[in-house]
Amino acid sequence: MSAKITYCMVHWNRITELQKAVRHHSPHVDRTVIIDGGSTDGSIEWLQSDECKKMNVEVFVRPWCDDPPGHRNKYLEYAGGDGWVLVTDSDEYLEEPAIWSIKQLVAEKERASVSVICFNAHDIQRSDTGSIWENKSNYWNPMLFKMGPNVRYVGHTHVT
């Protein structure tokens, strides 16, 4: 039996990015949990749509209060269990080789008793004029980790 993977994200009023992220990641995981800050742009309705139900998407509304760790801890509560959690912001995506093989990657790391997988940030930005700026950083983001009873976000937005 393979480890379960839950994709989690905090979202608020960025429906276009939300749809791209959910459609990109959700087909490759077992479940998706979105904490919505009270969107008014149709995001909640889309997250409750038949399309999202088919991808095992669950949405929970937590009024936005500029508390990223608090919102992230809320999705950890809903993720629960001892499976794996994949986290992104709505404008972050795992590149296709990684997302296509995510279940295999988790199975390999389970056998090796690894509990956190970090991904190197590759920033790609597009200006209003269409020009593209790219930067591959030395920052490794802990975006995939094994859930446990003491896993919580503290302090900075991305610190678990």
Side-chain angles (χ1 to χ4, degrees):
M1 185 170 113
S2 64
K4 299 288 183 199
I5 303 171
T6 301
Y7 172 52
C8 296
M9 180 182 11
V10 172
H11 169 74
W12 187 39
N13 279 337
R14 292 166 79 175
I15 190 169
T16 302
E17 288 178 357
L18 169 73
Q19 289 172 328
K20 287 179 185 177
V22 168
R23 287 173 177 149
H24 179 77
H25 295 97
S26 293
H28 303 281
V29 299
D30 300 292
R31 183 173 165 231
T32 296
V33 173
I34 306 292
I35 301 299
D36 190 281
S39 293
T40 57
D41 65 350
S43 294
I44 295 170
E45 293 79 6
W46 181 75
L47 289 165
Q48 295 171 334
S49 71
D50 287 341
E51 177 185 1
C52 286
K53 287 178 184 158
K54 290 176 185 170
M55 291 186 286
N56 295 317
V57 175
E58 300 169 45
V59 59
F60 301 93
V61 177
R62 180 181 191 255
W64 190 255
C65 58
D66 199 21
D67 175 22
H71 289 287
R72 291 176 187 272
N73 284 328
K74 188 54 75 175
Y75 65 51
L76 292 180
E77 285 179 33
Y78 290 115
D82 60 355
W84 285 73
V85 177
L86 169 65
V87 299
T88 72
D89 290 339
S90 60
D91 63 347
E92 296 175 328
Y93 309 92
L94 291 186
E95 292 184 271
E96 289 181 350
I99 196 63
W100 287 341
S101 60
I102 194 163
K103 290 195 177 211
Q104 178 184 343
L105 179 63
V106 164
E108 288 173 10
K109 300 310 173 189
E110 281 267 318
R111 288 191 296 274
S113 297
V114 170
S115 60
V116 177
I117 301 170
C118 298
F119 293 88
N120 184 241
H122 182 183
D123 296 325
I124 302 172
Q125 297 177 355
R126 184 172 304 202
S127 72
D128 293 338
T129 62
S131 62
I132 296 174
W133 173 84
E134 291 188 61
N135 177 44
K136 195 158 204 167
S137 74
N138 288 323
Y139 175 67
W140 291 83
N141 192 347
M143 297 171 67
L144 184 58
F145 51 87
K146 188 166 176 74
M147 192 59 196
N150 297 316
V151 174
R152 305 256 322 140
Y153 283 90
V154 294
H156 187 270
T157 301
H158 291 289
V159 179
T160 51

mmCIF file of all heavy atoms in Angstrom, residues 10-14 34-45 47 59-65 71:
data_model
loop_
_atom_site.group_PDB
_atom_site.id
_atom_site.type_symbol
_atom_site.label_atom_id
_atom_site.label_comp_id
_atom_site.label_asym_id
_atom_site.label_seq_id
_atom_site.Cartn_x
_atom_site.Cartn_y
_atom_site.Cartn_z
ATOM 1 N N VAL A 10 -3.322 27.585 0.909
ATOM 2 C CA VAL A 10 -4.111 28.706 1.408
ATOM 3 C C VAL A 10 -4.412 29.579 0.202
ATOM 4 O O VAL A 10 -3.544 29.806 -0.646
ATOM 5 C CB VAL A 10 -3.325 29.509 2.466
ATOM 6 C CG1 VAL A 10 -4.068 30.776 2.844
ATOM 7 C CG2 VAL A 10 -3.058 28.656 3.695
ATOM 8 N N HIS A 11 -5.642 30.068 0.123
ATOM 9 C CA HIS A 11 -6.049 30.836 -1.051
ATOM 10 C C HIS A 11 -6.950 31.986 -0.648
ATOM 11 O O HIS A 11 -7.720 31.883 0.310
ATOM 12 C CB HIS A 11 -6.814 29.904 -2.017
ATOM 13 C CG HIS A 11 -7.489 30.654 -3.107
ATOM 14 N ND1 HIS A 11 -6.798 31.201 -4.151
ATOM 15 C CD2 HIS A 11 -8.780 31.002 -3.293
ATOM 16 C CE1 HIS A 11 -7.633 31.832 -4.950
ATOM 17 N NE2 HIS A 11 -8.849 31.725 -4.443
ATOM 18 N N TRP A 12 -6.880 33.064 -1.456
ATOM 19 C CA TRP A 12 -7.796 34.186 -1.240
ATOM 20 C C TRP A 12 -7.836 35.047 -2.494
ATOM 21 O O TRP A 12 -6.865 35.701 -2.850
ATOM 22 C CB TRP A 12 -7.361 34.999 -0.034
ATOM 23 C CG TRP A 12 -8.319 36.072 0.384
ATOM 24 C CD1 TRP A 12 -9.685 35.999 0.393
ATOM 25 C CD2 TRP A 12 -7.984 37.367 0.864
ATOM 26 N NE1 TRP A 12 -10.226 37.166 0.861
ATOM 27 C CE2 TRP A 12 -9.186 38.035 1.166
ATOM 28 C CE3 TRP A 12 -6.798 38.025 1.092
ATOM 29 C CZ2 TRP A 12 -9.233 39.327 1.665
ATOM 30 C CZ3 TRP A 12 -6.846 39.312 1.592
ATOM 31 C CH2 TRP A 12 -8.044 39.947 1.880
ATOM 32 N N ASN A 13 -8.962 35.008 -3.194
ATOM 33 C CA ASN A 13 -9.264 35.894 -4.323
ATOM 34 C C ASN A 13 -8.219 35.899 -5.447
ATOM 35 O O ASN A 13 -7.891 36.967 -5.963
ATOM 36 C CB ASN A 13 -9.477 37.326 -3.825
ATOM 37 C CG ASN A 13 -10.875 37.527 -3.278
ATOM 38 O OD1 ASN A 13 -11.806 36.795 -3.622
ATOM 39 N ND2 ASN A 13 -11.035 38.509 -2.417
ATOM 40 N N ARG A 14 -7.754 34.759 -5.857
ATOM 41 C CA ARG A 14 -6.861 34.666 -7.025
ATOM 42 C C ARG A 14 -7.304 33.449 -7.840
ATOM 43 O O ARG A 14 -6.564 32.490 -8.011
ATOM 44 C CB ARG A 14 -5.409 34.529 -6.565
ATOM 45 C CG ARG A 14 -4.906 35.795 -5.888
ATOM 46 C CD ARG A 14 -3.631 35.591 -5.129
ATOM 47 N NE ARG A 14 -2.464 35.561 -6.000
ATOM 48 C CZ ARG A 14 -1.226 35.486 -5.553
ATOM 49 N NH1 ARG A 14 -0.976 35.443 -4.252
ATOM 50 N NH2 ARG A 14 -0.216 35.449 -6.387
ATOM 51 N N ILE A 34 -8.060 22.918 0.547
ATOM 52 C CA ILE A 34 -7.838 24.344 0.330
ATOM 53 C C ILE A 34 -8.467 25.105 1.485
ATOM 54 O O ILE A 34 -9.642 24.904 1.810
ATOM 55 C CB ILE A 34 -8.487 24.828 -0.989
ATOM 56 C CG1 ILE A 34 -8.031 23.989 -2.185
ATOM 57 C CG2 ILE A 34 -8.215 26.330 -1.195
ATOM 58 C CD1 ILE A 34 -6.593 24.128 -2.582
ATOM 59 N N ILE A 35 -7.681 25.978 2.107
ATOM 60 C CA ILE A 35 -8.207 26.901 3.103
ATOM 61 C C ILE A 35 -8.399 28.228 2.384
ATOM 62 O O ILE A 35 -7.441 28.842 1.923
ATOM 63 C CB ILE A 35 -7.235 27.077 4.298
ATOM 64 C CG1 ILE A 35 -6.970 25.728 4.984
ATOM 65 C CG2 ILE A 35 -7.789 28.116 5.286
ATOM 66 C CD1 ILE A 35 -8.191 25.052 5.564
ATOM 67 N N ASP A 36 -9.647 28.647 2.261
ATOM 68 C CA ASP A 36 -9.962 29.884 1.562
ATOM 69 C C ASP A 36 -10.238 30.984 2.578
ATOM 70 O O ASP A 36 -10.957 30.765 3.552
ATOM 71 C CB ASP A 36 -11.177 29.693 0.649
ATOM 72 C CG ASP A 36 -11.374 30.883 -0.253
ATOM 73 O OD1 ASP A 36 -11.915 31.903 0.224
ATOM 74 O OD2 ASP A 36 -10.958 30.806 -1.417
ATOM 75 N N GLY A 37 -9.658 32.150 2.327
ATOM 76 C CA GLY A 37 -9.791 33.273 3.249
ATOM 77 C C GLY A 37 -11.087 34.047 3.133
ATOM 78 O O GLY A 37 -11.205 35.125 3.700
ATOM 79 N N GLY A 38 -12.058 33.511 2.396
ATOM 80 C CA GLY A 38 -13.339 34.212 2.220
ATOM 81 C C GLY A 38 -13.416 34.893 0.869
ATOM 82 O O GLY A 38 -13.911 36.020 0.752
ATOM 83 N N SER A 39 -12.940 34.228 -0.157
ATOM 84 C CA SER A 39 -12.898 34.797 -1.511
ATOM 85 C C SER A 39 -14.269 35.271 -1.973
ATOM 86 O O SER A 39 -15.284 34.662 -1.665
ATOM 87 C CB SER A 39 -12.374 33.765 -2.505
ATOM 88 O OG SER A 39 -11.023 33.472 -2.255
ATOM 89 N N THR A 40 -14.243 36.341 -2.771
ATOM 90 C CA THR A 40 -15.472 36.899 -3.344
ATOM 91 C C THR A 40 -15.411 36.898 -4.872
ATOM 92 O O THR A 40 -16.237 37.546 -5.514
ATOM 93 C CB THR A 40 -15.681 38.344 -2.842
ATOM 94 O OG1 THR A 40 -14.530 39.127 -3.179
ATOM 95 C CG2 THR A 40 -15.909 38.376 -1.338
ATOM 96 N N ASP A 41 -14.440 36.180 -5.448
ATOM 97 C CA ASP A 41 -14.232 36.192 -6.902
ATOM 98 C C ASP A 41 -14.709 34.914 -7.589
ATOM 99 O O ASP A 41 -14.363 34.657 -8.725
ATOM 100 C CB ASP A 41 -12.753 36.419 -7.216
ATOM 101 C CG ASP A 41 -11.868 35.274 -6.734
ATOM 102 O OD1 ASP A 41 -12.358 34.390 -5.989
ATOM 103 O OD2 ASP A 41 -10.676 35.258 -7.106
ATOM 104 N N GLY A 42 -15.511 34.099 -6.900
ATOM 105 C CA GLY A 42 -16.009 32.849 -7.473
ATOM 106 C C GLY A 42 -15.164 31.643 -7.122
ATOM 107 O O GLY A 42 -15.477 30.517 -7.511
ATOM 108 N N SER A 43 -14.090 31.849 -6.368
ATOM 109 C CA SER A 43 -13.190 30.743 -6.006
ATOM 110 C C SER A 43 -13.897 29.652 -5.206
ATOM 111 O O SER A 43 -13.752 28.465 -5.496
ATOM 112 C CB SER A 43 -11.998 31.258 -5.189
ATOM 113 O OG SER A 43 -11.177 32.094 -5.948
ATOM 114 N N ILE A 44 -14.646 30.052 -4.198
ATOM 115 C CA ILE A 44 -15.304 29.063 -3.338
ATOM 116 C C ILE A 44 -16.300 28.244 -4.153
ATOM 117 O O ILE A 44 -16.343 27.008 -4.038
ATOM 118 C CB ILE A 44 -15.981 29.742 -2.129
ATOM 119 C CG1 ILE A 44 -14.904 30.388 -1.237
ATOM 120 C CG2 ILE A 44 -16.825 28.745 -1.342
ATOM 121 C CD1 ILE A 44 -15.460 31.293 -0.147
ATOM 122 N N GLU A 45 -17.057 28.911 -5.001
ATOM 123 C CA GLU A 45 -18.027 28.202 -5.831
ATOM 124 C C GLU A 45 -17.308 27.216 -6.764
ATOM 125 O O GLU A 45 -17.775 26.081 -6.950
ATOM 126 C CB GLU A 45 -18.857 29.200 -6.646
ATOM 127 C CG GLU A 45 -19.771 30.072 -5.803
ATOM 128 C CD GLU A 45 -19.082 31.253 -5.106
ATOM 129 O OE1 GLU A 45 -17.864 31.502 -5.343
ATOM 130 O OE2 GLU A 45 -19.744 31.913 -4.301
ATOM 131 N N LEU A 47 -14.397 25.797 -6.213
ATOM 132 C CA LEU A 47 -13.859 24.718 -5.384
ATOM 133 C C LEU A 47 -14.944 23.718 -4.961
ATOM 134 O O LEU A 47 -14.639 22.585 -4.622
ATOM 135 C CB LEU A 47 -13.158 25.293 -4.150
ATOM 136 C CG LEU A 47 -11.836 25.998 -4.443
ATOM 137 C CD1 LEU A 47 -11.400 26.843 -3.246
ATOM 138 C CD2 LEU A 47 -10.761 24.986 -4.826
ATOM 139 N N VAL A 59 -12.835 22.270 0.349
ATOM 140 C CA VAL A 59 -12.572 23.668 0.669
ATOM 141 C C VAL A 59 -13.130 23.971 2.058
ATOM 142 O O VAL A 59 -14.223 23.514 2.413
ATOM 143 C CB VAL A 59 -13.158 24.639 -0.381
ATOM 144 C CG1 VAL A 59 -14.660 24.491 -0.514
ATOM 145 C CG2 VAL A 59 -12.778 26.075 -0.059
ATOM 146 N N PHE A 60 -12.347 24.694 2.826
ATOM 147 C CA PHE A 60 -12.748 25.134 4.156
ATOM 148 C C PHE A 60 -12.501 26.635 4.216
ATOM 149 O O PHE A 60 -11.424 27.103 3.840
ATOM 150 C CB PHE A 60 -11.939 24.424 5.246
ATOM 151 C CG PHE A 60 -12.103 22.922 5.195
ATOM 152 C CD1 PHE A 60 -11.207 22.144 4.472
ATOM 153 C CD2 PHE A 60 -13.156 22.304 5.846
ATOM 154 C CE1 PHE A 60 -11.348 20.767 4.407
ATOM 155 C CE2 PHE A 60 -13.313 20.920 5.774
ATOM 156 C CZ PHE A 60 -12.409 20.160 5.058
ATOM 157 N N VAL A 61 -13.488 27.385 4.675
ATOM 158 C CA VAL A 61 -13.363 28.835 4.730
ATOM 159 C C VAL A 61 -12.910 29.240 6.130
ATOM 160 O O VAL A 61 -13.497 28.825 7.132
ATOM 161 C CB VAL A 61 -14.689 29.535 4.363
ATOM 162 C CG1 VAL A 61 -14.567 31.040 4.504
ATOM 163 C CG2 VAL A 61 -15.100 29.148 2.944
ATOM 164 N N ARG A 62 -11.851 30.024 6.159
ATOM 165 C CA ARG A 62 -11.336 30.623 7.393
ATOM 166 C C ARG A 62 -11.096 32.088 7.076
ATOM 167 O O ARG A 62 -10.204 32.400 6.287
ATOM 168 C CB ARG A 62 -10.023 29.963 7.815
ATOM 169 C CG ARG A 62 -9.437 30.534 9.100
ATOM 170 C CD ARG A 62 -8.106 29.833 9.433
ATOM 171 N NE ARG A 62 -7.663 30.159 10.771
ATOM 172 C CZ ARG A 62 -6.660 30.996 11.045
ATOM 173 N NH1 ARG A 62 -6.016 31.618 10.063
ATOM 174 N NH2 ARG A 62 -6.296 31.221 12.295
ATOM 175 N N PRO A 63 -11.911 32.988 7.631
ATOM 176 C CA PRO A 63 -11.785 34.403 7.273
ATOM 177 C C PRO A 63 -10.335 34.889 7.331
ATOM 178 O O PRO A 63 -9.595 34.563 8.259
ATOM 179 C CB PRO A 63 -12.647 35.116 8.322
ATOM 180 C CG PRO A 63 -13.661 34.082 8.696
ATOM 181 C CD PRO A 63 -12.925 32.763 8.650
ATOM 182 N N TRP A 64 -9.955 35.639 6.280
ATOM 183 C CA TRP A 64 -8.586 36.113 6.153
ATOM 184 C C TRP A 64 -8.257 37.055 7.301
ATOM 185 O O TRP A 64 -9.000 37.973 7.607
ATOM 186 C CB TRP A 64 -8.401 36.833 4.821
ATOM 187 C CG TRP A 64 -6.955 37.119 4.580
ATOM 188 C CD1 TRP A 64 -6.338 38.321 4.687
ATOM 189 C CD2 TRP A 64 -5.951 36.173 4.230
ATOM 190 N NE1 TRP A 64 -5.001 38.184 4.416
ATOM 191 C CE2 TRP A 64 -4.730 36.865 4.139
ATOM 192 C CE3 TRP A 64 -5.963 34.800 3.998
ATOM 193 C CZ2 TRP A 64 -3.537 36.234 3.814
ATOM 194 C CZ3 TRP A 64 -4.777 34.181 3.659
ATOM 195 C CH2 TRP A 64 -3.588 34.898 3.572
ATOM 196 N N CYS A 65 -7.107 36.828 7.946
ATOM 197 C CA CYS A 65 -6.690 37.685 9.065
ATOM 198 C C CYS A 65 -5.189 37.915 9.033
ATOM 199 O O CYS A 65 -4.589 38.173 10.059
ATOM 200 C CB CYS A 65 -7.139 37.085 10.387
ATOM 201 S SG CYS A 65 -6.499 35.426 10.691
ATOM 202 N N HIS A 71 -3.313 29.959 9.002
ATOM 203 C CA HIS A 71 -4.059 29.364 7.890
ATOM 204 C C HIS A 71 -3.432 28.029 7.495
ATOM 205 O O HIS A 71 -4.139 27.060 7.226
ATOM 206 C CB HIS A 71 -4.087 30.316 6.685
ATOM 207 C CG HIS A 71 -4.940 31.512 6.890
ATOM 208 N ND1 HIS A 71 -6.309 31.462 6.883
ATOM 209 C CD2 HIS A 71 -4.625 32.812 7.121
ATOM 210 C CE1 HIS A 71 -6.803 32.661 7.089
ATOM 211 N NE2 HIS A 71 -5.802 33.514 7.242
#
